[in-house]
Amino acid sequence: MTRVRRTEEVFDHLSQREYDELAGLVVEFSRRLTGMLAEHPSFAAPEGGAKPGDVDDERLRRAGYLRRVRAGQAAQALLAEVAAGCAAEDAVDAVWLGASLADLGESTGSTRQAARKRWPELGRIHRTRRWVSGHADDLVTVFRMVLDQAPGYTAPDRSAAPLDRAVRALDAALAETLRSRDSGSVLDPATARPVRWRRLADAVDQHLRAVVELAGASTPEAETALAAARGVLAHHDAVVAVTDG
């Protein structure tokens, strides 16, 4: 296949050899994907019948390539859809690592407003990440306080087991928070994705919230711990609730 280098500025930093190597990989995968789709019954193309001058198996082969044309359009749409999904996932990870919408706009050659329109959920993630990273030590203190006072909690009828599970889940979340803090990296070694602030946010929004919703206090110390937890949740919810203008 003859490849003509496009003129998009995004490729200007690539040499012709580098461009051709990357384009070759895309061509190889696209051909494979198109062939797989062409075999699917839903991509059957209208058969135009015999044509003047047809010889040998020309009609049969023509029908096969018409299927590939139709399948190629679907392959193009699928590649674009998957690539957009990967870009959105990378944008989320970048924000959990502290990137702003302005950073994302600059990296895509657009603006903060364009990035916000393209990925509207990132404003909330950016606020959450900034809040948990700025209050990490205080959050650990509140987690420990709530866990230390667990013997002083009461639960409504038939809620003792859910409360016990919630306390154990918060304890596990605290342990994971401390391991991540001391690991030397914000990335999950198994997935290479950023998890430190995401897990801390989940510890607040899911696990601490579950304890507060289920627990009553039988001692002044337990009430103090739950009051501190309610204050954390109120602050968290106020930060998350801000709308992007």
Side-chain angles (χ1 to χ4, degrees):
M1 175 180 178
T2 302
R3 290 186 286 277
V4 178
R5 181 167 180 177
R6 301 275 185 176
T7 58
E8 283 85 345
E9 292 182 2
V10 70
F11 298 123
D12 283 352
H13 65 288
L14 298 178
S15 69
Q16 188 66 49
R17 180 184 61 79
E18 291 170 332
Y19 179 89
D20 287 344
E21 287 178 355
L22 293 172
L25 292 174
V26 176
V27 168
E28 181 181 351
F29 179 73
S30 297
R31 290 302 190 192
R32 180 183 176 190
L33 179 59
T34 296
M36 293 173 64
L37 290 173
E39 294 298 321
H40 194 279
S42 64
F43 290 98
E47 212 286 300
K51 304 293 183 183
D54 278 350
V55 296
D56 297 332
D57 59 351
E58 197 165 22
R59 178 177 175 179
L60 175 65
R61 301 305 179 187
R62 180 170 60 246
Y65 274 95
L66 287 172
R67 288 175 65 92
R68 289 185 63 88
V69 170
R70 187 170 185 177
Q73 290 180 312
Q76 182 180 10
L78 180 59
L79 287 170
E81 183 177 309
V82 172
C86 290
E89 187 175 271
D90 289 339
V92 166
D93 286 350
V95 173
W96 278 117
L97 289 169
S100 67
L101 291 175
D103 295 329
L104 285 170
E106 184 176 356
S107 71
T108 57
S110 59
T111 64
R112 177 184 183 277
Q113 290 75 17
R116 184 174 59 197
K117 183 177 180 180
R118 183 176 182 182
W119 300 297
E121 76 281 6
L122 295 188
R124 177 186 57 81
I125 294 174
H126 178 65
R127 293 190 299 275
T128 302
R129 187 268 180 198
R130 185 171 56 187
W131 183 77
V132 294
S133 65
H135 296 83
D137 291 341
D138 293 336
L139 293 175
V140 167
T141 298
V142 172
F143 294 161
R144 283 174 167 157
M145 183 187 307
V146 169
L147 291 168
D148 287 345
Q149 298 305 319
Y153 298 149
T154 59
D157 291 343
R158 292 177 291 185
S159 295
L163 175 58
D164 180 64
R165 287 194 296 270
V167 169
R168 285 188 280 110
L170 179 61
D171 186 49
L174 172 59
E176 181 58 44
T177 294
L178 297 177
R179 279 194 297 271
S180 180
R181 185 187 66 181
D182 298 334
S183 69
S185 175
V186 297
L187 302 184
D188 184 334
T191 65
R193 297 189 66 190
V195 294
R196 179 176 299 181
W197 307 125
R198 191 190 315 242
R199 286 177 177 167
L200 184 55
D202 287 345
V204 174
D205 194 30
Q206 297 178 20
H207 306 303
L208 184 66
R209 190 181 301 277
V211 173
V212 169
E213 290 177 348
L214 291 168
S218 63
T219 67
E221 294 79 7
E223 177 55 41
T224 297
L226 292 176
R230 287 191 288 267
V232 165
L233 290 170
H235 195 184
H236 166 275
D237 293 349
V239 169
V240 172
V242 173
T243 57
D244 296 311

